[in-house]
Amino acid sequence: MGLSPSGVKAEMALRLASVANTDPSQFDGELRHLRPVPVRSIVSMDLGLKNFAFAHLDLTSVGHVREWRRIEVHSPSPYHPAPFAAVGVALAARLPAADLYLIEAQRHRSGGAATVIEHAIKLRLLEVLLHAQFLGRAASVQPKRVAGLFELPEGRGKKKDAVVRARTIIADSMREGMLSFAPEAKNAFEEETKRDDMSDALLQALAVIRWRKAADEFRNIFEEKSQLELSA
């Protein structure tokens, strides 16, 4: 379900108990993408200060990718809050309307470096700006958990494997009952040179769709068990 696997058993049990909750207001932080509310459409974002990609999925039936593209971002240099904030607002304005906005979570540690590099700080700021634009409808998703779900390798091989996985999903879209793609979305992918960014945006959306389904099933099982215990 995209939850953190860290911690002792009691902490893991608490996370699962939180998922069983049916009150959407109780879902915050890492649980936000699992909120028990109707989601008919998703916009999934792969963040970058130069390359920003998104996938727009319609979930009213099996699933349909309406729009899928990369946007070239012109980040102000040197950094200044006002023009940088304008970049975030402009990006949000270019995105389609959706019930749920998925934002690739950015690292907040230095990775062992003595200082946090400026690039990482700017990406964290962009993540926050997008949350502010879609307040109440956005959720940050850990890319490592998406990669784990699709068994993508760590390091340089991840980008290549993500593109391969996206191509497989496109090929499977010809089969009945599978995710479908608008012709414009498929063409945008084939014509793009930075397909790894677009692939990450798509895989992130598909991961959350799978996790939301698992959360719904978990809540149903939990509710049935609770009813049986009450009637016993």
Side-chain angles (χ1 to χ4, degrees):
M1 288 183 281
L3 304 179
S4 172
S6 63
V8 297
K9 288 184 178 180
E11 292 173 327
M12 296 285 288
L14 183 60
R15 291 191 193 105
L16 289 174
S18 298
V19 173
N21 202 315
T22 56
D23 181 2
S25 66
Q26 300 302 309
F27 285 72
D28 213 344
E30 69 165 339
L31 297 176
R32 196 156 189 83
H33 64 284
L34 300 177
R35 293 176 71 215
V37 295
V39 173
R40 296 171 294 272
S41 60
I42 284 176
V43 167
S44 176
M45 297 167 253
D46 181 75
L47 303 195
L49 296 178
K50 183 178 180 182
N51 300 301
F52 177 99
F54 75 90
H56 178 210
L57 282 71
D58 182 345
L59 307 180
T60 52
S61 56
V62 176
H64 180 67
V65 180
R66 289 190 174 278
E67 192 174 0
W68 191 21
R69 67 175 63 250
R70 180 183 68 85
I71 299 174
E72 188 169 340
V73 180
H74 299 285
S75 180
S77 183
Y79 167 78
H80 190 276
F84 191 81
V87 170
V89 173
L91 274 175
R94 295 183 66 176
L95 298 175
D99 294 325
L100 177 61
Y101 291 88
L102 304 175
I103 305 171
E104 179 194 26
Q106 302 302 303
R107 63 186 180 91
H108 58 277
R109 294 186 176 91
S110 61
T115 59
V116 180
I117 59 175
E118 182 180 348
H119 182 82
I121 294 174
K122 287 181 178 179
L123 283 172
R124 288 288 288 179
L125 288 173
L126 182 58
E127 181 183 357
V128 172
L129 283 169
L130 289 168
H131 268 280
Q133 292 298 306
F134 303 116
L135 198 60
R137 293 177 292 157
S140 287
V141 181
Q142 293 293 336
K144 191 171 183 177
R145 291 170 201 163
V146 175
L149 180 65
F150 289 101
E151 300 181 341
L152 302 178
E154 295 184 5
R156 295 182 178 180
K158 176 183 175 294
K159 291 186 177 183
K160 181 180 178 181
D161 280 29
V163 174
V164 171
R165 183 55 67 97
R167 286 195 181 281
T168 301
I169 294 168
I170 293 173
D172 288 344
S173 68
M174 302 301 294
R175 294 160 48 194
E176 186 177 352
M178 301 297 287
L179 180 74
S180 62
F181 290 78
E184 298 83 358
K186 284 200 288 188
N187 291 341
F189 181 76
E190 293 302 332
E191 294 170 1
E192 181 55 60
T193 56
K194 288 284 293 175
R195 296 190 185 99
D196 57 298
D197 298 317
M198 294 179 65
S199 300
D200 286 344
L202 177 66
L203 295 180
Q204 179 175 258
L206 296 180
V208 169
I209 290 170
R210 191 179 300 185
W211 291 333
R212 286 184 59 82
K213 182 178 180 181
D216 287 341
E217 292 173 352
F218 180 78
R219 275 189 285 269
N220 290 335
I221 293 171
F222 189 86
E223 178 65 23
E224 288 174 5
K225 184 179 179 181
S226 298
Q227 291 297 330
L228 286 173
E229 290 176 351
L230 287 173
S231 60

